[in-house]
């Protein structure tokens, strides 16, 4: 049984909308530090009392990392701090972290970054090629290196240098993706949370088979999934290990820098003929994946390191509503809010909050990239627009800045549309945007002010803001002008300021009011209404405009149907759509976990002896020890329907027929639709039972009882979305001396003919399946959790 150890939203009888009044976030001025040179951290530690920041983000560890608790080595982390040291720099990082903390500087560790998010093949195919040949990214990659023929992009040219240009010197093994560790108990808890609270109208489809080194079959070619498989061989969970590493290093927090554009484009729902989002797309599968990652982090923080803060480097367009045209992570945060408001708030506010730290940079002033009028298209105008979208979604967020040449648009082919941060831009943002947000950060602490040698087309590089000018003014804006550290300096490593550089940044009082929060909800969607151009409506916490005549009965979430999402909304008082959100937190005893001693640590090319660990939790009476080695494989579920043609079999009667115009206020209301009985999980109106997650199938009616139908199968799916290419199973030999982490859990037992899972008996974890997916823990009348079973009385 999937035992949850975190807060669970127990009342599904309400419609959760925007976080109308988010609590204030924490004040900090932060900066990322990209490793490759260990001298950076020593410089910061030596000047910890005077540097004009009070939080630094050490970057980056790999999303497919592994760490054995107590091993005190960074060998499996991919941080690249100092790979010549026996412990890969673990002791030094810990020592300098303590120095920084003693001098008032928080230390976070960041997972991800662009290279550790990018799958060269998938990014080239789905995020570049599929959107046509006119984009700057296409011109700087597929056109430049393959003459516009993507079939000439392969491993030898890193799929036409889609992730990084050849001048960067990257190797294919430098790239990786965020894995889905299907063998992990806490990952299973996380995806159960996502599935139980999902209100997006489509089912999550998970991809645990995408493991580094496995083969993906596309157009007759076997494409290697980037990344390492050591975590998989060791049966580790990288997200759990991230928390355990932070604990052993004594860090204040961790940061998830999630930028898998390829995932959003590869698994999008697209109604256009050319698969180019010509009529708009939805990227809900990526919302599910990111939410599961963050929920898995939350579970492990509460289990292993309750003081740890967790934040994320968020997409600039993450809270922007409206039609998604692909190629970015537009709407990622926005679409989390209705389904996972507790998770959104946990990241942004409260004792564990590391913040929604918005990457409001790498922006382009080309016409197609400008935000809609009346927003201005200069850097300050775009930052103002994108940050305002987070306020409109009710999400507490922090402002991001960038030193030097932006990575996007590609400086080699589209520098004319680049928006580097100049002193004047910084003054506008610090004057008119930053005052409405509690914190700010910048990339990167030791980055060059401007690089005229690498980019000869850079003009007036001395006008690019210098790191001390930005850090000092940002510090004063957030922590106060009299804060001593705000007058300090960032130590210079190698990138001296350009001659003629000015540190003057003009800051004035704001010239515009604070952006407004979520708007009131329009008239609720009615499935019996014929929607036409110019009409407005609300549905599941979003407002919509109608762009053109819509086929009667079409749901607003249907891609390319004519509905245009306008953002999250809040039901006004006195409105018929007003709802009260009741959140109940249920604590369930955590599963007992024993970490077995490990004598071998597996790296991609290195095997190193580490000290054994003997961390043991309290014993349980009945335990099941699993040592089975799994390999990633494509799973296909086949459902067999068998009719029993017996005139004497029990016939299940059909309940009252579903009425599209009726409002079903009470959970567990029973209806029938197309010879299937359904019960609702929460308030609903106009949502077709066979296609909406609000309705739960109770099986066929008006026919032979006991028939196995697809409706009785578990909702969780592990196979790729068709028509994606098939994945070839990966055969991974385990090292002969690796002791994998052993999970010890209380097992269900059957004694003397009695069942531990009994139909109708109380249970504790909503959404948990047992008895071979025949019994599920679900809400009955009065919001009491009981076992509901199909075809069995228990097990």
């Amino acid at each position: 049984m999937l035992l949850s150890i975190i807060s669970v939203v127990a009342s599904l009888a309400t419609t959760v909308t925007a976080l109308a009044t988010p609590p204030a976030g924490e004040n900090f001025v932060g900066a990322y530090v990209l490793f490759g040179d260990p001298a950076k951290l020593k410089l910061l530690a030596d000047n910890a009392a005077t540097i004009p920041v009070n939080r630094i983000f050490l970057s980056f560890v790999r999303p497919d990392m592994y760490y054995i608790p107590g091993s005190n080595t960074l060998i499996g982390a991919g941080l690249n701090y100092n790979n010549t040291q026996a412990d890969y720099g673990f002791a030094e990082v810990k020592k300098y972290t303590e120095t920084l903390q003693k001098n008032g500087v928080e230390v976070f560790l960041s997972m991800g970054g662009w290279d550790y998010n990018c799958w060269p093949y998938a990014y080239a195919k789905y995020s570049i090629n599929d959107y046509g040949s006119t984009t700057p990214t296409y011109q700087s990659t597929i056109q430049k290196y393959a003459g516009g023929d993507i079939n000439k992009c392969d491993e030898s040219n890193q799929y036409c240098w889609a992730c990084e240009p050849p001048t960067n010197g990257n190797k294919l093994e430098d790239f990786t993706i965020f894995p889905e560790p299907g063998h992990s108990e806490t990952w299973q808890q996380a995806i159960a949370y996502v599935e139980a609270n999902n209100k997006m109208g489509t089912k999550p489809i998970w991809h645990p088979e995408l493991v580094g080194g496995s083969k993906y079959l596309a157009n007759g070619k076997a494409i290697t999934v980037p990344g390492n498989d050591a975590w998989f061989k060791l049966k580790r969970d990288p997200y759990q290990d991230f928390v355990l590493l932070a604990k052993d290093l004594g860090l204040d927090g961790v940061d998830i820098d999630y930028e898998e554009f390829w995932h959003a484009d590869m698994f999008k729902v697209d109604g256009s003929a050319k698969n180019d989002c010509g009529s708009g797309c939805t990227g809900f599968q990526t919302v599910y994946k990111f939410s599961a990652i963050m929920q898995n982090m939350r579970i492990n923080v509460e289990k292993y390191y309750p003081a740890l803060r967790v934040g994320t480097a968020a997409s600039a367009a993450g809270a922007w509503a409206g039609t998604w045209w692909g190629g970015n992570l537009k709407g990622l945060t926005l679409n989390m809010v209705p389904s996972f408001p507790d998770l959104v708030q946990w990241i942004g506010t409260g004792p564990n909050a590391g913040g929604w730290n918005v990457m409001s940079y790498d922006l382009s002033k080309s016409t197609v990239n400008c935000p809609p009028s009346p927003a201005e298209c200069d850097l300050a105008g775009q930052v103002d627009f994108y940050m305002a979208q987070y306020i409109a979604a009710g999400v507490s967020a922090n402002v991001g800045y960038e030193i030097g040449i932006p990575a996007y648009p590609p400086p080699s082919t589209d520098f004319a549309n680049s928006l580097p941060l100049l002193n004047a831009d910084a003054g506008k943002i610090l004057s008119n945007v930053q005052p409405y947000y509690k914190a700010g950060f910048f990339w990167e602490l030791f980055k060059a002010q401007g690089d005229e040698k690498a980019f000869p087309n850079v003009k007036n590089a001395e006008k690019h803001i210098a790191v001390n000018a930005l850090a000092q003014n940002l510090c004063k804006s957030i922590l106060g002008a009299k804060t001593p550290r705000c007058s300090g300096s960032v130590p210079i490593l190698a990138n001296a300021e350009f001659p003629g550089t000015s540190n003057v940044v003009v800051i004035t009082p704001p010239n515009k009011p604070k952006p407004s929060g979520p708007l009131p909800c329009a008239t609720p969607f009615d499935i019996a209404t014929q929607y036409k151009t110019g009409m407005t409506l609300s549905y599941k916490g979003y407002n919509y405009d109608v762009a053109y005549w819509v086929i009667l009965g079409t749901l607003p979430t249907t891609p390319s149907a004519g509905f245009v999402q306008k953002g999250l909304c809040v039901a006004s008082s006195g409105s018929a759509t007003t709802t009260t959100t009741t959140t109940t937190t249920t604590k369930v005893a955590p599963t007992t976990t024993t970490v077995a001693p490990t004598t071998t640590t597996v790296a991609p090319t290195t095997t190193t002896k580490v000290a054994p660990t003997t961390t043991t939790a309290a014993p349980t009476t009945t335990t099941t020890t699993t040592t089975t080695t799994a390999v990633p494989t494509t799973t296909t579920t086949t459902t067999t329907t068998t009719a029993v043609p017996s005139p004497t079999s029990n016939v299940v009667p059909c309940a009252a027929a579903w009425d599209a115009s009726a409002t079903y206020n009470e959970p567990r209301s029973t209806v029938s639709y197309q010879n299937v009985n359904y019960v609702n999980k929460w308030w609903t109106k106009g949502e077709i039972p066979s296609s909406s997650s609000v309705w739960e199938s109770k099986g066929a009616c008006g026919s032979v009882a006991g028939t196995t139908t697809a409706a009785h199968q578990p909702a969780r799916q592990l196979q790729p979305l068709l028509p994606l290419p098939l994945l070839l199973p990966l055969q991974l030999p385990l090292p002969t001396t690796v002791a994998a982490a052993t999970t010890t859990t209380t097992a269900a037992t059957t004694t003397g003919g009695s069942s531990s899972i009994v139909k109708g008996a109380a249970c504790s974890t909503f959404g948990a399946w047992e008895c071979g997916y025949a019994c599920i823990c679900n809400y009955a009348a009065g919001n009491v959790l009981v076992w509901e079973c199909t075809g069995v009385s228990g097990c």
Side-chain angles (χ1 to χ4, degrees):
M1 183 170 62
L2 299 175
L3 295 178
S4 175
I5 61 168
I6 50 86
S7 301
V8 178
V9 179
S11 177
L12 296 179
T14 59
T15 301
V16 180
T17 56
L19 305 176
T21 311
E26 211 183 334
N27 295 58
F28 72 85
V29 52
Y32 281 81
V33 179
L34 180 63
F35 281 128
D37 187 343
K40 292 181 177 181
L41 191 56
K42 183 180 186 304
L43 272 176
L44 294 175
D46 290 345
N47 296 274
T50 58
I51 54 175
V53 298
N54 66 347
R55 178 183 293 184
I56 61 170
F57 299 88
L58 309 181
S59 52
F60 292 102
V61 298
R62 302 176 64 97
D64 55 0
M65 64 163 288
Y66 70 91
Y67 175 73
I68 309 299
S71 63
N72 296 341
T73 176
L74 297 175
I75 187 173
L79 184 60
N80 295 320
Y81 172 79
N82 191 340
N83 294 347
T84 66
Q85 296 180 350
D87 64 354
Y88 284 64
F90 181 96
E92 276 192 12
V93 171
K94 186 169 185 175
K95 179 180 72 172
Y96 293 139
T97 292
E98 291 173 352
T99 301
L100 286 158
Q101 291 169 333
K102 288 177 182 178
N103 286 278
V105 180
E106 291 182 326
V107 182
F108 277 53
L109 184 60
S110 184
M111 170 185 279
W114 178 249
D115 289 355
Y116 284 168
N117 272 272
C118 195
W119 181 355
Y121 166 78
Y123 185 59
K125 171 67 175 72
Y126 300 103
S127 299
I128 300 177
N129 186 75
D130 282 4
Y131 294 117
S133 61
T134 61
T135 67
T137 307
Y138 183 96
Q139 292 296 317
S140 65
T141 56
I142 299 170
Q143 183 62 47
K144 182 174 182 178
Y145 297 107
D149 184 0
I150 193 173
N151 294 316
K152 295 180 181 178
C153 296
D154 53 28
E155 289 190 3
S156 68
N157 54 28
Q158 295 185 22
Y159 300 96
C160 281
W161 311 103
C163 296
E164 294 286 4
T167 52
N168 271 38
N170 292 74
K171 300 177 182 178
L172 276 175
E173 54 264 32
D174 295 333
F175 303 106
T176 190
I177 63 174
F178 279 75
E180 300 178 23
H183 56 254
S184 163
E185 183 179 8
T186 57
W187 176 260
Q188 291 297 327
Q189 293 170 9
I191 64 177
Y193 163 87
V194 169
E195 291 172 353
N197 295 286
N198 168 34
K199 297 177 179 63
M200 280 170 262
T202 60
K203 292 181 179 179
I205 298 179
W206 307 102
H207 296 280
E209 72 279 2
L210 292 179
V211 174
S214 62
K215 297 296 183 180
Y216 179 84
L217 189 62
N219 299 321
K221 297 179 180 179
I223 307 298
T224 303
V225 178
N228 295 333
D229 63 2
W231 65 272
F232 181 82
K233 292 178 180 178
L234 290 168
K235 305 299 288 180
R236 305 297 303 176
D237 178 338
Y239 310 113
Q240 181 180 92
D241 284 354
F242 192 28
V243 174
L244 295 171
L245 173 60
K247 181 178 182 180
D248 282 359
L249 284 171
L251 300 175
D252 297 285
V254 293
D255 166 70
I256 301 293
D257 183 351
Y258 184 79
E259 302 181 50
E260 285 190 330
F261 293 3
W262 66 267
H263 187 277
D265 293 309
M266 186 173 179
F267 299 118
K268 64 181 179 286
V269 176
D270 186 358
S272 63
K274 294 182 179 180
N275 202 42
D276 61 355
C277 288
S279 302
C281 297
T282 59
F284 294 152
Q285 294 301 327
T286 306
V287 179
Y288 301 141
K289 179 177 180 179
F290 177 69
S291 300
I293 290 169
M294 299 308 291
Q295 177 66 3
N296 194 20
M297 292 294 300
R298 176 160 69 160
I299 294 171
N300 283 289
V301 164
E302 295 196 3
K303 187 173 184 179
Y304 294 110
Y305 194 10
L308 191 69
R309 295 182 179 274
V310 180
T312 182
S315 166
W320 189 9
T323 303
W324 177 61
W325 302 106
N328 57 27
L329 296 178
K330 180 181 179 182
L332 180 68
T333 308
L334 177 87
N335 287 306
M336 288 179 65
V337 174
S339 294
F340 319 115
D342 56 320
L343 182 59
V344 172
Q345 187 159 319
W346 183 80
I347 296 167
T349 61
N352 291 109
W356 289 93
N357 304 315
V358 182
M359 295 182 287
S360 45
Y361 45 81
D362 287 342
L363 304 172
S364 169
K365 62 181 179 181
S366 67
T367 303
V368 295
N369 286 297
C370 289
S373 179
E376 299 177 11
C377 198
D378 65 353
L379 182 60
Q382 292 199 45
V383 172
D384 184 26
F385 172 82
Y386 289 119
M387 292 304 304
Q389 307 313 304
Y390 279 85
I391 290 182
V395 178
S396 180
N398 306 314
V399 186
Y401 305 76
E402 183 176 16
I403 299 289
I405 307 296
Y408 182 86
S412 61
T413 59
D414 194 30
F415 190 81
N417 286 312
S418 182
L419 288 170
L421 183 65
L422 310 183
N423 285 41
D425 298 309
K428 291 180 182 179
I429 297 170
L430 291 170
S431 298
N432 302 319
V433 181
Q434 187 63 62
Y436 302 124
Y437 305 90
K438 293 293 185 179
F441 69 98
F442 61 92
W443 172 270
E444 185 263 350
L445 201 63
F446 294 97
K447 188 179 177 185
Q449 181 183 8
D451 194 341
E452 292 177 318
K453 292 181 180 178
F455 304 105
N457 48 358
V458 175
K459 306 298 181 185
N460 302 318
E462 74 279 359
K463 293 184 179 179
H464 293 197
I465 196 165
V467 63
N468 278 307
L470 175 62
Q472 290 168 2
N473 283 284
L474 181 60
C475 184
K476 291 173 184 178
S477 296
I478 294 171
L479 302 182
K482 295 182 179 181
T483 304
R485 72 167 56 254
C486 295
S487 298
S489 298
V490 175
I492 300 298
L493 179 65
N495 299 312
E497 294 180 359
F498 281 102
T501 293
S502 170
N503 285 331
V504 175
V505 176
V506 178
I507 302 176
T508 62
N511 63 8
K512 57 181 66 177
K514 181 179 180 179
S516 59
L519 297 174
C521 288
T523 303
F525 168 75
D526 182 356
I527 200 167
T529 297
Q530 177 64 68
Y531 288 99
K532 302 175 183 179
T533 305
M535 298 176 71
T536 60
L537 63 135
S538 64
Y539 182 69
K540 288 191 174 181
Y542 295 89
N543 278 332
Y544 290 85
D545 287 345
V546 182
Y548 47 84
W549 186 89
V550 176
I551 297 173
L552 184 66
T554 304
L555 297 178
T557 52
T558 306
S560 309
F563 294 105
V564 179
Q565 185 193 88
K566 302 303 292 183
L568 294 168
C569 64
V570 178
S572 58
S573 60
S575 166
T577 62
T578 301
T579 59
T580 303
T581 302
T582 304
T583 303
T584 305
T585 56
T586 304
K587 286 283 186 180
V588 182
T591 56
T592 303
T593 303
T594 303
V595 180
T598 302
T599 58
T600 302
T601 300
V602 179
T605 58
T606 307
T607 301
T608 302
K609 299 274 187 177
V610 298
T613 61
T614 55
T615 304
T616 306
T620 57
T621 305
T622 305
T623 61
T624 301
T625 302
T626 303
T627 57
T628 304
T629 301
V631 298
T633 182
T634 302
T635 304
T636 302
T637 303
T638 303
T639 303
T640 304
T641 303
T642 306
V644 183
S646 170
T648 60
S649 298
N650 293 328
V651 175
V652 177
C654 287
W658 172 71
D659 183 351
S661 63
T663 299
Y664 297 94
N665 292 307
E666 294 297 324
R668 314 306 296 171
S669 300
T670 304
V671 300
S672 63
Y673 181 74
Q674 295 182 345
N675 292 108
V676 177
N677 280 332
Y678 293 87
V679 294
N680 64 319
K681 299 175 184 176
W682 55 81
W683 182 98
T684 179
K685 178 182 179 181
E687 297 179 87
I688 300 173
S690 62
S691 60
S692 173
S693 60
V694 69
W695 291 104
E696 176 188 342
S697 169
K698 304 307 294 182
C701 63
S703 60
V704 179
T707 301
T708 302
T709 70
H712 295 148
Q713 302 306 309
R716 191 169 304 140
Q717 302 176 56
L718 301 179
Q719 63 270 27
L721 274 170
L722 296 177
L724 292 177
L726 296 177
L727 281 154
L728 301 178
L730 171 68
Q731 302 299 324
L732 295 175
L734 272 179
T736 56
T737 57
V738 171
T742 305
T743 302
T744 305
T745 58
T746 304
T749 59
T750 303
T751 307
S754 63
S755 300
S756 59
I757 305 298
V758 179
K759 183 177 181 179
C763 56
S764 58
T765 305
F766 172 72
W769 290 92
E770 284 292 351
C771 307
Y773 290 110
C775 297
I776 186 172
C777 185
N778 213 339
Y779 286 102
N783 279 339
V784 177
L785 286 169
V786 299
W787 289 111
E788 292 185 353
C789 302
T790 302
V792 299
S793 59
C795 66

